[in-house]
Amino acid sequence: AVVGGAVAGKTNGGDGGQDVVHETVLLGDGGSYVVNKDENLVTIQTSRDIDDDGNIVIHGGHDIIDIQGGQNTVMGGAEDDEIDIYGADNIVLGDGGIATREWNDNQKIFEDIKSVETTDDDNGGIDTINIYGGKNAVMGGFAGDIITIGEEDGNASDHNIVLGDGGEYNNEASDSAYIKTQSDGIGGED
């Protein structure tokens, strides 16, 4: 796992001569992931603080994240972030959120996406997200984000779930999976 901080940063995974990464958690600004071995789930979420007046305070900076590989979870966090993903079965949130994946404790790897949801939909930045691959769940979050789904170097871009602003994808029960927008009065022109 790579967790950034409250300042701008740049993270590369599998770029150039590096190996392709899988089952990686990248949080541009801050957050946590918790493995629940009893339920075979891992929960990943961005962090936030509450000030003395009860207001939500989110710290962060401009992040540049470049990942090649599959089954990664990437959350840009606050501010304007640039995220490039080459691969399949990734979760990408431009701003804040929470995600749950199946956890295979025997192999110590992430498996299927169970749920993804944006949080604090009135906070964030104008994010640029480029996805090259299939079966990804992508949510821009707050503001007018630029999201491009493309095909490059044999990475077919099909079966993606893409929401420009806030939303939720839930696949926990195979007979009642759903995708929905939320905070419809908040957002931008994506």
Side-chain angles (χ1 to χ4, degrees):
V2 177
V3 179
V7 296
K10 181 173 182 175
T11 305
N12 291 313
D15 190 23
Q18 298 175 354
D19 293 331
V20 174
V21 297
H22 298 280
E23 294 97 28
T24 299
V25 174
L26 275 160
L27 303 174
D29 294 320
S32 64
Y33 77 96
V34 176
V35 175
N36 182 331
K37 293 180 182 180
D38 294 333
E39 296 183 19
N40 295 319
L41 295 174
V42 60
T43 302
I44 304 112
Q45 64 184 19
T46 52
S47 61
R48 63 183 185 171
D49 296 323
I50 306 293
D51 67 15
D52 294 336
D53 297 325
N55 298 312
I56 296 171
V57 179
I58 299 174
H59 306 282
H62 171 84
D63 301 301
I64 301 171
I65 299 170
D66 184 25
I67 296 292
Q68 294 186 26
Q71 294 182 313
N72 299 294
T73 302
V74 178
M75 299 180 185
E79 303 298 330
D80 304 341
D81 302 310
E82 299 173 43
I83 302 170
D84 292 321
I85 302 289
Y86 301 83
D89 298 311
N90 294 294
I91 296 171
V92 181
L93 300 180
D95 298 313
I98 184 168
T100 304
R101 299 187 86 124
E102 285 183 356
W103 174 255
N104 183 324
D105 197 51
N106 292 328
Q107 297 180 16
K108 307 289 189 233
I109 61 170
F110 299 147
E111 293 188 333
D112 293 338
I113 298 170
K114 300 307 283 181
S115 65
V116 182
E117 183 176 4
T118 59
T119 57
D120 305 316
D121 290 335
D122 57 347
N123 287 292
I126 300 171
D127 305 304
T128 302
I129 302 171
N130 298 303
I131 303 295
Y132 304 98
K135 298 182 183 176
N136 297 294
V138 182
M139 297 179 191
F142 180 73
D145 303 305
I146 301 166
I147 301 172
T148 304
I149 306 296
E151 188 170 325
E152 186 173 294
D153 297 331
N155 292 309
S157 292
D158 53 2
H159 305 289
N160 290 296
I161 297 163
V162 181
L163 299 175
D165 296 311
E168 179 181 3
Y169 165 60
N170 191 305
N171 190 34
E172 293 191 53
S174 60
D175 60 341
S176 62
Y178 62 87
I179 305 163
K180 67 177 185 175
T181 61
Q182 64 189 26
S183 306
D184 292 339
I186 302 171
E189 189 173 310
D190 301 302

